[in-house]
Amino acid sequence: MTDLPNPVDFAVPGFIALVLVEMLIARAKDRRRYCPKDTLTSLMLGFGSSIVGAVTLGAVYAMAVWVWGFRLLDIPYAWWVWIACFVLDDLAYYVFHRSAHRVRWFWASHVIHHSSQHYNLSTALRQTWTGFFSLAFLFRLPLFLIGFPPAMVFFCGGLNLIYQFWIHTEVIGRCPRWFEAAMNTPSHHRVHHATNPRYLDRNYAGVFIVWDKMFGSFTPELDEDRPRYGLVKNLGRFSVFWAAFHEWVGIAKDLATAPWRAKLGYAFGPPGWSHDGSRDTSETIREKWAGRNQIPLPEREGLGVGIGRRPSKTPPPHVFAALATHPQPLPKREGSR
Amino acid sequence: MNWTLLAGSLAGVLGLALIAKLLGLGGAELASEEEAMRIAEAERPGFVAVSAVLAEDGQSAIVAGENGDQLRIRRHGAQFVAAPLPKGEGDSRREPRAG
């Protein structure tokens, strides 16, 4: 089997250099874009993730090779295969990433990446420690079953990760229109990291934003509604271990105390789901926001969210297009009213 | 595992955090009651702020909601986070900290 290097290893010096450049820009323009403690937390999470990844790589690779043994096609190392592999791997990433936001079990692993209230290049390196435990690698298995060689798939996955580094920045506003139309960009990904109700659980793409447009999860960034970053309930501390494990602790507590009929929902329902409706999901947050801001009825119905306790269907794209035409930033106010 | 890469990465991590500190990055201060109310509403979905009192140093605030509930806003690095105040606790804090 062909042995390929991990492209991320070669990119690490570039990551460090670009973070440094962004810090210098922050010093010149807005010092609040970086916080030393937040940066250290992000980078230590990335460092820990690389160690865990190295330890579990063998098991993941062995499983990939085992599945590849049942492949449907014998796929050669041809140039067009590389392109197909990269594109399909990005589609697999989209499916994984969407699940990582819609299923609490996967969210417990992915939440690390969203736990910073900052959005800078160091945030890109804030990566999971529990990806293997959450079984996230399952999403790539279909590629091996089709017949793409495991080494090729993992190489493409590394390129995908490298691409996603540069989009974690506020330094770049909008890219050329043609690029914004097809590719994931800083603007699109700022939406993904935002906690504004309008932006929650949108733009799951890795490299190609076309997946979000195809599957109805795309929302453009609006100048009138600047993204706020972090979690719906921010952690409020710079603990590497709490960032890595807090949602798993939450799941364990809920599984211990929830009624039997609700236990599965706390593990595999959407984040924020509760059997008594006492918590907020992305849908209920968006519904309340839409109500408060008097989003027109057709669009609110189209949101289809927060009804009952079950996860709802993703709203169709036209709903978010309509929301985009009714920007409702918080009104300016006096000190009290 | 590539130990050289690992050691280099750790040095990079610690070096970048140190540089961020040396560059004087971070820091935050609440500029107004309005800002405190905006943060409260952003931090807690459904919370509707009606008034706010800032601490003198601008590092925290207490924001009252339309339902009588109160949030304490405090600085967390270069950002702010909100946490609910137990009923009644905010009143005793408000007077001395009003800015």
Side-chain angles (χ1 to χ4, degrees), chain A residues 26-234:
Chain A
R27 177 179 165 80
K29 289 193 169 180
D30 180 4
R31 295 186 183 205
R32 285 186 63 181
R33 286 183 184 173
Y34 267 90
C35 164
K37 287 182 179 176
D38 175 85
T39 303
L40 183 59
T41 306
S42 292
L43 298 179
M44 285 306 292
L45 283 165
F47 180 67
S49 176
S50 65
I51 293 174
V52 174
V55 169
T56 57
L57 178 64
V60 173
Y61 200 87
M63 188 168 301
V65 170
W66 181 74
V67 172
W68 187 61
F70 299 95
R71 60 189 176 277
L72 302 172
L73 303 168
D74 280 318
I75 298 179
Y77 276 86
W79 67 268
W80 57 270
V81 173
W82 280 97
I83 295 172
C85 183
F86 186 82
V87 172
L88 288 177
D89 178 68
D90 194 51
L91 174 59
Y93 177 83
Y94 172 86
V95 176
F96 150 73
H97 197 192
R98 190 162 175 161
S99 304
H101 281 264
R102 303 302 302 146
V103 179
R104 194 184 183 194
W105 182 265
F106 297 123
W107 172 244
S109 169
H110 184 61
V111 64
I112 290 177
H113 182 60
H114 288 267
S115 59
S116 173
Q117 289 179 264
H118 292 265
Y119 190 77
N120 55 44
L121 292 175
S122 77
T123 311
L125 304 175
R126 187 178 277 241
Q127 293 290 331
T128 184
W129 290 12
T130 55
F132 180 76
F133 175 74
S134 72
L135 306 177
F137 56 87
L138 293 178
F139 290 89
R140 277 209 173 102
L141 294 186
L143 294 174
F144 308 126
L145 199 57
I146 290 170
F148 288 102
M152 179 187 281
V153 173
F154 288 122
F155 190 89
C156 288
L159 295 180
N160 194 308
L161 195 69
I162 293 170
Y163 179 88
Q164 290 190 46
F165 175 76
W166 77 279
I167 60 178
H168 291 81
T169 185
E170 290 190 294
V171 171
I172 298 171
R174 300 280 190 346
C175 297
R177 185 174 292 183
W178 65 268
F179 196 79
E180 294 279 349
M183 307 298 287
N184 200 7
T185 62
S187 174
H188 297 327
H189 206 57
R190 283 194 289 270
V191 165
H192 175 70
H193 273 257
T195 58
N196 312 38
R198 180 197 309 277
Y199 298 145
L200 279 176
D201 284 356
R202 313 301 292 165
N203 297 7
Y204 301 110
V207 173
F208 302 113
I209 197 68
V210 291
W211 305 126
D212 283 293
K213 294 181 177 178
M214 281 173 64
F215 300 119
S217 52
F218 176 71
T219 292
E221 181 185 34
L222 299 180
D223 294 333
E224 307 91 308
D225 197 6
R226 285 192 59 198
R228 299 180 299 272
Y229 308 107
L231 303 173
V232 170
K233 287 184 181 172
N234 285 304

Side-chain angles (χ1 to χ4, degrees), chain B residues 5-70:
Chain B
L5 184 69
L6 208 62
S9 297
L10 183 59
V13 165
L14 298 176
L16 282 175
L18 181 64
I19 290 170
K21 193 165 180 63
L22 293 175
L23 286 174
L25 302 178
E29 193 172 309
L30 290 167
S32 64
E33 288 85 356
E34 178 186 310
E35 184 184 7
M37 293 198 300
R38 282 176 182 274
I39 291 170
E41 292 188 346
E43 280 282 300
R44 294 285 151 162
F47 182 85
V48 180
V50 293
S51 65
V53 181
L54 292 189
E56 286 181 5
D57 59 3
Q59 301 295 292
S60 62
I62 293 174
V63 181
E66 64 178 1
N67 297 328
D69 44 351
Q70 295 180 319

Side-chain angles (χ1 to χ4, degrees), chain A residues 263-294:
Chain A
K263 287 187 190 297
L264 280 178
Y266 280 104
F268 300 108
W273 180 90
S274 56
H275 71 286
D276 56 2
S278 60
R279 302 179 189 176
D280 276 318
T281 62
S282 296
E283 287 81 3
T284 59
I285 290 169
R286 194 161 21 233
E287 188 173 74
K288 288 175 185 173
W289 164 81
R292 274 182 56 201
N293 290 282
Q294 298 176 334

